[in-house]
Amino acid sequence: MAPRIDVYDPSVYERSGIPFAQLTWLRENSPVHWHPDPEGPGFWAVTRYADVVAVSRAPEVFSSQRRSALLHELTPEGLATNQMIMLSQDPPLHTRTRSLVSRGFTPRMIARLEDRIRAICHEMVDRVIEQGSADFVGDLAAPLPLHVICELMGAPAADRDAIFTWSNQAIGADDPEYEGADGTMALFGYAMELGARHRTEPLDGIMGALLEETAEGRALTEEEFGMFVVLLAVAGNETTRNAASGGMLAFSRHPAQWRRLQADRSLLETAPDEIVRWVTPVNAFRRTATRDTEIGGHPIAENDKVIVFYAAANRDPEAFDEPDVFDIGRPPGTHVGFGGGGPHFCLGSHLARLELRVLFETLLDRTPDIALSAEPRRLRSSFVNGIKEMPVTFTPG
Ligand code: HEM
């Protein structure tokens, strides 16, 4: 009997005990599984690595634009707004947007942020080091990507608290603590203003570059810029936060890997990818079939919804040796934590890796004996494998 997958149930993604029990069951017994959904149209749950990759790389058959890449059904109004964001666009519209924004996210552009990210990590540790304890999420993992987004935006320091609040509201919509507040619109309005201000006071760095015309005469409009900032706040924040928190949790459950990293810092190059595979901060995205087709031999009808479960694919023994072993020396590059390799492959993957590398390097230097002092509290979300709170202790320094 197939288990009922509740995509809003945080226990689906709980890593302790048997990891991903329901998703593992599906991958092994019913890898392309029809899941009726009383609140929506139902969907095919795709859980095998090879199928997740195949769906991700065929945007002409599995569309992000026809309905939405997000798991929720959207109203027609919501759908129109949603498709202004590249995550829910198909080629050729997506290709145009992606080419405009990707010039800001090349490994070279991102590498320039390293010193600033290191300074942010040290500032965060400075704030808690004397007390010998912290909430890993609230004090370290959450502020880091938020600071980095502010940095990318070139937002004045005085605006940071507001940006923090709006971003939290924008990403926490599933969670009762954040219900009701429209952080998305506030952030969009703010970014539009910032884009307009750029005409007289140019923004530095990546975001400034997106508002400057290229040789072919193309730049983001203020509205596109606003949408892109909203996407960054959603795509870059909770993901990185939960990769960092989930990584810390993994190290606490596998202390030999923490000692290994301490003894061999060159593993800081591969550890971020293993953390992203292990944690899989983004559980799943949705596609809609544009015509009758098949996945792994299963017929799929036009307009059927298909949800690719990265979490299940990242533990597929056909793709990884000993997938249930957390091994920070595992060769990077094949997991689907940043997507299955299609046109939507995570734009921020270089930035996310850099943030994780510098954060854990800073912790090895400043709080080498960091350890969990209580079990983490999880976020109820259909989108991210979230940790809300995770108390840690370390020797004050
Ligand atoms: C897309 C994961 C960090 C920006 C995605 C996708 C995934 C993902 C799974 C969809 C891929 C697909 O549909 O094939 C993650 C994870 C992160 C992370 C696990 C952290 C560990 C970031 C950061 C940024 C970012 C730091 C930027 C600041 C984006 C954008 C897209 C995206 C803009 C949409 C790309 C497109 O539609 O072309 N990410 N992400 N992400 N991510 Fe990330």
Side-chain angles (χ1 to χ4, degrees), residues 120-354:
I120 292 168
C121 287
H122 279 276
E123 281 163 26
M124 294 187 319
V125 173
D126 285 344
R127 259 180 239 127
V128 293
I129 189 93
E130 283 313 323
Q131 69 206 40
S133 66
D135 168 21
F136 192 88
V137 181
D139 294 322
L140 300 163
L144 173 61
L146 284 166
H147 275 294
V148 171
I149 297 277
C150 291
E151 200 72 31
L152 288 178
M153 285 172 73
D159 299 344
R160 291 197 168 190
D161 285 349
I163 296 171
F164 271 39
T165 306
W166 296 327
S167 304
N168 279 330
Q169 289 167 351
I171 54 190
D174 283 355
D175 194 80
E177 257 178 50
Y178 297 118
E179 254 168 34
D182 197 348
T184 309
M185 280 318 291
L187 193 60
F188 175 64
Y190 175 82
M192 288 251 292
E193 265 175 45
L194 206 63
R197 225 193 292 160
H198 170 78
R199 312 268 168 246
T200 46
E201 302 161 47
L203 293 170
D204 290 337
I206 290 175
M207 297 310 231
L210 302 183
L211 290 159
E212 295 300 328
E213 291 197 356
T214 61
E216 306 88 65
R218 298 183 338 176
L220 291 187
T221 64
E222 279 146 32
E223 197 178 42
E224 284 171 328
F225 182 77
M227 278 296 181
F228 185 60
V229 167
V230 168
L231 175 60
L232 288 189
V234 176
N237 267 327
E238 185 103 1
T239 50
T240 313
R241 154 194 319 200
N242 288 306
S245 304
M248 186 65 237
L249 182 61
F251 281 122
S252 91
R253 303 252 199 267
H254 306 268
Q257 294 297 311
W258 184 247
R259 290 194 296 274
R260 196 177 160 206
L261 192 59
Q262 251 164 346
D264 179 1
R265 295 291 180 99
S266 74
L267 290 167
L268 281 164
E269 293 301 324
T270 49
D273 272 283
E274 178 63 350
I275 287 171
V276 172
R277 184 190 75 89
W278 184 259
V279 176
T280 311
V282 175
N283 295 314
F285 272 125
R286 194 174 73 168
R287 300 291 189 261
T288 304
T290 59
R291 56 172 163 80
D292 291 353
T293 181
E294 56 86 30
I295 301 172
H298 293 260
I300 308 288
E302 180 175 357
N303 288 327
D304 278 359
K305 310 284 175 269
V306 172
I307 296 188
V308 286
F309 284 93
Y310 305 119
N314 273 340
R315 298 294 181 99
D316 186 341
E318 293 201 11
F320 303 97
D321 290 337
E322 300 192 283
D324 293 325
V325 173
F326 178 58
D327 171 7
I328 57 167
R330 195 184 283 277
T334 55
H335 68 78
V336 291
F338 289 123
H344 293 280
F345 186 81
C346 179
L347 181 72
S349 62
H350 301 298
L351 178 58
R353 287 189 187 99
L354 179 63

